[in-house]
Amino acid sequence: SSEEDPADIKQLPVVSTKNSAQKHTKPKPKVKAVFVVLVRNSDIHSLRASMRQLEDRFNHKYNYPYLFLNDEAFTDEFKRLSSAMTKGKTEYGIIPKEHWSVPDWIDYDKAKEEMKKMEEADIIYGGSESYRHMCRFESGFFFRHPLLDKYDYYWRVEPGVQFFCDIDYDPFMYMKEKKVKYGFTISLYEYEDTIKTLWETVKEFMKKYPEYIEEDNALDFISNDQGETYNLCHFWSNFEIGDLNLWRSERYLKFFEFLDQKGGFFYERWGDAPVHSIAAVLFLKKSEIHFFNEIGYKHEPFMHCPVEKNLLLKCHCNPQDNFDLQGYSCTGRWLQINQQPISN
Ligand code: GDP
Ligand code: MN
């Protein structure tokens, strides 16, 4: 039989694309951009499925590199099985301890107490410390990893996500040419119980640093009353195409530090999605945020599937499952404040 025993996988040679003759003919990335994947060794197989779709739908024509990040060392098996999925360069980074631990100004007993309460209240990931490290890392540190220094743009990918449509243009080039700083495909409402004091903290920040707030911003997307209260809308950050200089900017670094000092990543369960979204909304012009309607995408349990007939032709999703105009999505609101036609 030609079937391989799964146990033999470990014996497969390291796949090297670096020395192949193809190297000189294959397309080269045109923008300094990278896919960034925070992932555990145990997620290798769902990661490979996502990479397969991303490669088939887009990256085989561009060969953008991948950067995998982990709070632990990647195994050789993980490296072999992931690098085999792409002709692009693959890099593997370990997250420094300071970016994945409880800072000394946090009262750890209090944090554990609050986690226990949130667990008992059945708040999703309410009792998980590692989830909090993940959210804090994605909020404040991923872009400081030295392996990202050479890039201008990133596309966040998670193991298990799906890509439904042929992407026959380069979204990174689009970002660069149109001066877009943040791109999304899905938006929705956050669980209020995870961010009880986030908005009052943001308001305090805005009062202290009014000079950081962009004038032509998209505040109306996240507030129904000019900023008095947060309406819980946010871009779903498991998918992001972004300009790294947004997060590297003085105002964002100040913003993250301000939030981090308040302790809400641990005492509550502030997610990187509302944190990134609020920052993008306050610090960018409305026109610098882009809805990537053509990119059909699913992260359980929600999908964005383009419903326009010409777009759908290039996709394999069911437009009836498109989440955009369902009650729990905020994308209708986004289209409205941007005076874009609402289809569905
Ligand atoms: P959800 O999307 O909010 O349900 O959270 P996920 O469990 O998907 O985590 C978000 C991202 O962080 C995914 O890319 C995960 O692979 C990654 N992730 C979450 N926790 C850990 C962790 O403890 N270690 C590592 N290396 N990655 C993690
Ligand atoms: Mn996820």
Side-chain angles (χ1 to χ4, degrees), residues 125 131 134 156 158-159 161 236 238 299-300:
Y125 300 116
Y131 192 82
M134 182 278 287
R156 177 167 162 186
E158 287 197 2
V161 299
W236 216 18
N238 48 66
H299 174 296
E300 291 294 343

Side-chain angles (χ1 to χ4, degrees), residues 38-40 43 70-71 100 125 131 134 156 158-159 299:
L38 175 65
V39 60
R40 303 178 186 91
D43 291 320
N70 193 349
D71 56 311
W100 196 280
Y125 300 116
Y131 192 82
M134 182 278 287
R156 177 167 162 186
E158 287 197 2
H299 174 296

Side-chain angles (χ1 to χ4, degrees), residues 219-236:
L219 183 63
D220 289 346
F221 177 61
I222 60 170
S223 178
N224 307 353
D225 48 22
Q226 286 83 49
E228 186 51 36
T229 59
Y230 179 36
N231 66 14
L232 307 175
C233 281
H234 63 287
F235 308 118
W236 216 18

